[in-house]
Amino acid sequence: MFILADDLGYGDVGCYGQKWIRTPNIDQLAKEGMRFTQYYAGSSVCAPSRAVLMTGQHTGHTYIRGNYDYETEGNLPIPDSTITLPEVLKKAGYRTAMIGKWGLGGPGSTGGPNRQGFDYSLGYLDQRKAHDYYIPYLWENEKKYPLEKNRDGNRNTYSHDVFAEAALTFIRETKNHPFFLYLPFTIPHGKLEVPTDAPYSLEKWSQPQKNYAAMITRLDGDIGRIVALLNELGIDQNTLIVFTSDNGPVKAVADQFDSNGPFRGYKLDLYEGGIREPMIVRWPGRIKAGSENHEIAAAWDVLPTFCELAGATTPKAIDGISFLPTLLGKPQPKSHSNLYWEFFEINYNWNKPDNKFPRIYLDKQAARMGDWKAVRADLLTKPDAPLELYNLKDDVGETKNVAAAHPDVVLQMTELLRTSRREGDFFKANPNQLLK
């Protein structure tokens, strides 16, 4: 089971230092499992982060490298030829389900969840629609699923609650069969709205801040319900749970709750605050309770890890490395020599007469090599801007650019940024034609 929060920061849960927001069930996962301290999301925004997770490829190689609107409902779809995690697990005999926010292809597209290996899907196919928690319909197996109580502008059914109930139903119905349940929940992504701001109603915070905290505590409560059901059904010992987030928090709430912990940056940034995330893995009797892993891991490692768990054949064209040995307390035979990220920005004013920028463009790059971290930003307007270099061992907050003192490392990192990417098929095509 893979539970993915949306825009949840490294410091937003108690076991990672949160002081104000209550997350007892997530904290309990950490007490009963392994807490990662150097886990990285695939990207600093929704769609590419999910694409990395599903394909095991980092954003220098994935087809989707930014949030691209596509047609009237849907986002740029991953190609039919893409080998995804659910396809591999389904072939290995697992029943597969996606409940939550997909964002990798709209209804009828090649990227739809049911066309990418999921036996069952319920949720938002278009991440833009996921901004509305009281939407009049969702998509079930790529057919409209009406939320009757939200018709005609009514706001009575909170979509996250639908997902939580659907997850519990899937577990009950599939308890006697191997299953892979992917839960990309939509909270605490904005809009910051929730049926009740309890237990924070009396706090002297702004209403959005109360709502943000209540959304995280609501998510935490539903995780508690899921774990309780696994125990009730007698399958707790045989179920591995992963909890993490797709990218860092937004600035408006992060500054109030210290959501990005000791790190610089927020969602959209390739500084640590935009991509370093909490990750907890729990498997009673197999993963040592209360353990911590300080080794580097990334979202593109999930696919090979799950393949090894399931005894499935791992696809060849991936960037990930299985961290299953680490989970089981064994020596890790392979580890990353480096990590890479890139982010493409979308220009929503591309067709205006005074527009000077292309519709999509490479905006940011980052890489990590040992304790060295390199960042390049604003690449369209500053293509020749000097590379920023940080030593995370001494400066985890990326406050001191030490590039001038380490020209040899700058050369290495510059070459790493150059060689870690390729122009995918989408970028060889005409993006302005594809993104109508």
Side-chain angles (χ1 to χ4, degrees):
M1 187 182 308
F2 195 96
I3 303 172
L4 187 71
D6 198 337
D7 291 4
L8 180 87
Y10 184 93
D12 270 329
V13 293
C15 57
Y16 284 85
Q18 180 54 229
K19 298 177 181 178
W20 298 279
I21 302 173
R22 303 170 198 175
T23 57
N25 295 292
I26 296 171
D27 299 343
Q28 188 64 30
L29 288 182
K31 291 178 182 177
E32 297 174 0
M34 179 178 287
R35 187 178 75 97
F36 283 62
T37 61
Q38 297 200 78
Y39 171 80
Y40 288 93
S43 182
S44 58
V45 293
C46 301
S49 188
R50 286 161 169 72
V52 167
L53 186 64
M54 290 294 104
T55 64
Q57 297 178 322
H58 62 57
T59 45
H61 297 147
T62 51
Y63 185 76
I64 296 174
R65 309 183 194 188
N67 281 347
Y68 306 125
D69 299 346
Y70 189 77
E71 299 180 340
T72 55
E73 182 167 356
N75 311 106
L76 181 70
I78 51 179
D80 186 55
S81 59
T82 305
I83 298 175
T84 62
L85 175 58
E87 286 180 320
V88 175
L89 294 181
K90 183 176 180 178
K91 190 175 180 179
Y94 283 69
R95 293 180 183 171
T96 56
M98 188 289 301
I99 300 171
K101 183 170 84 172
W102 178 239
L104 300 178
S109 74
T110 60
N114 297 87
R115 303 188 187 207
Q116 291 293 336
F118 284 108
D119 296 310
Y120 176 77
S121 67
L122 174 68
Y124 298 93
L125 297 185
D126 187 331
Q127 60 199 29
R128 292 169 294 178
K129 299 289 186 180
H131 297 171
D132 183 0
Y133 288 92
Y134 293 96
I135 196 167
Y137 66 89
L138 297 166
W139 292 92
E140 183 181 43
N141 297 327
E142 299 184 47
K143 294 182 180 179
K144 281 191 175 182
Y145 178 88
L147 299 180
E148 300 291 347
K149 294 183 179 181
N150 289 349
R151 283 191 173 187
D152 302 320
N154 289 310
R155 297 165 59 81
N156 297 302
T157 300
Y158 191 60
S159 61
H160 169 81
D161 294 347
V162 176
F163 300 148
E165 291 301 326
L168 296 172
T169 298
F170 176 82
I171 293 169
R172 290 190 189 99
E173 293 178 349
T174 322
K175 63 182 179 180
N176 295 321
H177 197 282
F179 66 79
F180 167 51
L181 176 55
Y182 173 46
L183 291 175
F185 284 132
T186 48
I187 55 179
H189 190 289
K191 304 176 182 176
L192 298 180
E193 54 185 7
V194 65
T196 172
D197 59 11
Y200 307 103
S201 305
L202 300 180
E203 297 289 348
K204 295 179 180 180
W205 304 338
S206 69
Q207 193 59 52
Q209 290 165 346
K210 291 180 184 179
N211 289 357
Y212 183 76
M215 292 167 87
I216 293 174
T217 296
R218 195 180 196 88
L219 168 65
D220 179 83
D222 288 325
I223 290 173
R225 294 170 65 202
I226 288 170
V227 174
L229 179 60
L230 296 175
N231 276 294
E232 176 189 325
L233 298 175
I235 59 174
D236 181 60
Q237 297 285 318
N238 199 34
T239 304
L240 180 143
I241 300 175
V242 178
F243 170 78
T244 186
S245 178
D246 63 342
N247 50 251
V250 296
K251 179 175 172 53
V253 289
D255 290 347
Q256 164 69 24
F257 297 113
D258 201 18
S259 297
N260 47 5
F263 306 121
R264 172 185 179 182
Y266 311 91
K267 178 180 180 178
L268 297 173
D269 292 326
L270 292 183
Y271 298 110
E272 297 289 286
I275 53 177
R276 197 187 293 203
E277 293 300 318
M279 186 169 79
I280 301 166
V281 187
R282 175 188 182 271
W283 190 7
R286 302 299 297 274
I287 295 175
K288 183 180 179 181
S291 56
E292 289 189 351
N293 174 39
H294 303 295
E295 299 299 316
I296 296 170
W300 49 97
D301 296 328
V302 172
L303 185 148
T305 302
F306 277 27
C307 286
E308 187 174 359
L309 273 165
T313 301
T314 303
K316 293 182 179 180
I318 65 169
D319 300 301
I321 297 171
S322 171
F323 53 76
L324 181 59
T326 292
L327 295 179
L328 301 179
K330 299 177 180 179
Q332 182 73 33
K334 295 177 65 178
S335 59
H336 288 289
S337 59
N338 57 75
L339 301 175
Y340 176 80
W341 299 264
E342 66 180 44
F343 172 62
F344 273 74
E345 186 64 82
I346 184 167
N347 172 19
Y348 292 99
N349 298 313
W350 68 279
N351 59 352
K352 293 186 177 180
D354 59 346
N355 176 67
K356 298 179 181 179
F357 301 138
R359 182 152 192 192
I360 60 169
Y361 54 91
L362 179 61
D363 185 54
K364 301 178 182 73
Q365 286 181 292
R368 178 168 175 177
M369 181 178 66
D371 291 321
W372 295 111
K373 172 80 177 293
V375 178
R376 297 178 71 220
D378 301 322
L379 295 178
L380 181 67
T381 57
K382 304 173 185 176
D384 299 321
L387 178 143
E388 300 171 34
L389 183 68
Y390 303 96
N391 186 331
L392 297 179
K393 183 178 181 180
D394 302 325
D395 179 26
V396 74
E398 295 169 291
T399 61
K400 186 178 180 181
N401 181 359
V402 295
H406 299 278
D408 55 332
V409 180
V410 169
L411 286 175
Q412 285 181 276
M413 297 301 275
T414 300
E415 183 66 6
L416 180 59
L417 294 178
R418 186 186 71 82
T419 59
S420 294
R421 66 181 310 270
R422 63 171 177 260
E423 296 293 335
D425 292 337
F426 167 68
F427 299 100
K428 293 176 184 176
N430 183 345
N432 289 343
Q433 182 178 2
L434 287 173
L435 293 169
K436 292 182 180 179

